[in-house]
Amino acid sequence: MIFQRRSWLARLVALAVLAGLASAASAQAAVQTLARLNFIQHCSGCHGRDGSGAPSKGVPSMRGALGDFLMLKGGREFIVQVPGVMNSPLGDSDIATLMNWLLPLVSAPTMPRDFVPYNADEIARLRQSRPHDVPAARRKLLQQAHDLGLALGAEFGP
């Protein structure tokens, strides 16, 4: 009789744990879905659904490149201070979630192993300190990438 109660209790605990895991997985899936929908609505018009952009029209490909920006002094800041991100109607938390979803999707091989996810506070701070001259900031970062031997190239413009 005691064995049957313990067995029943163990099953109940196991079900509760599985329900919690399923709930957490479901919540994570919802966050990922929202990030993907925000990308489609707010970014894909210029960057394309796969992040490949239109380099011949001045819209750089993000594929394989965003991770390299994370290696540069000021690069982490720059990729969320470009006009498309800064002028987005999305809230700081949504932008952080979008960036944390996007980076491994389009640049997993070039992301630093010690990548720290963006958070809403960081995005809010960066929105208050935009570069005055985005093309000049980009040129400086591209020079830094070149000096470090990173493969960021002409698709990012002059």
Side-chain angles (χ1 to χ4, degrees):
M1 182 85 147
I2 293 174
F3 178 72
Q4 288 177 344
R5 280 190 226 163
R6 286 186 182 162
S7 177
W8 179 82
L9 184 58
R11 287 183 187 151
L12 186 61
V13 169
L15 284 173
V17 168
L18 288 175
L21 291 174
S23 178
S26 179
Q28 182 61 23
V31 167
Q32 298 296 311
T33 298
L34 180 59
R36 182 175 54 83
L37 291 174
N38 279 334
F39 178 82
I40 290 168
Q41 184 175 5
H42 299 284
C43 310
S44 69
C46 294
H47 287 283
R49 284 192 175 220
D50 67 350
S52 61
S56 65
K57 296 178 181 176
V59 181
S61 173
M62 295 184 282
R63 301 200 63 78
L66 289 183
D68 283 338
F69 274 98
L70 296 171
M71 307 283 209
L72 305 174
K73 182 178 180 182
R76 177 184 175 91
E77 295 83 356
F78 179 78
I79 63 174
V80 297
Q81 292 176 320
V82 294
V85 176
M86 296 304 285
N87 297 325
S88 166
L90 293 173
D92 299 331
S93 180
D94 287 334
I95 289 175
T97 299
L98 172 60
M99 294 304 294
N100 294 332
W101 168 81
L102 179 65
L103 282 159
L105 181 71
V106 300
S107 286
T110 60
M111 284 183 63
R113 289 188 190 112
D114 60 349
F115 171 71
V116 175
Y118 287 97
N119 63 54
D121 291 338
E122 179 181 16
I123 299 298
R125 180 179 52 78
L126 293 173
R127 279 184 147 173
Q128 299 302 314
S129 62
R130 303 175 186 201
H132 296 292
D133 185 345
V134 173
R138 182 183 311 123
R139 281 191 301 274
K140 181 178 176 183
L141 289 167
L142 292 176
Q143 182 60 54
Q144 188 183 147
H146 180 270
D147 294 347
L148 293 172
L150 297 176
L152 290 171
E155 70 272 15
F156 289 96

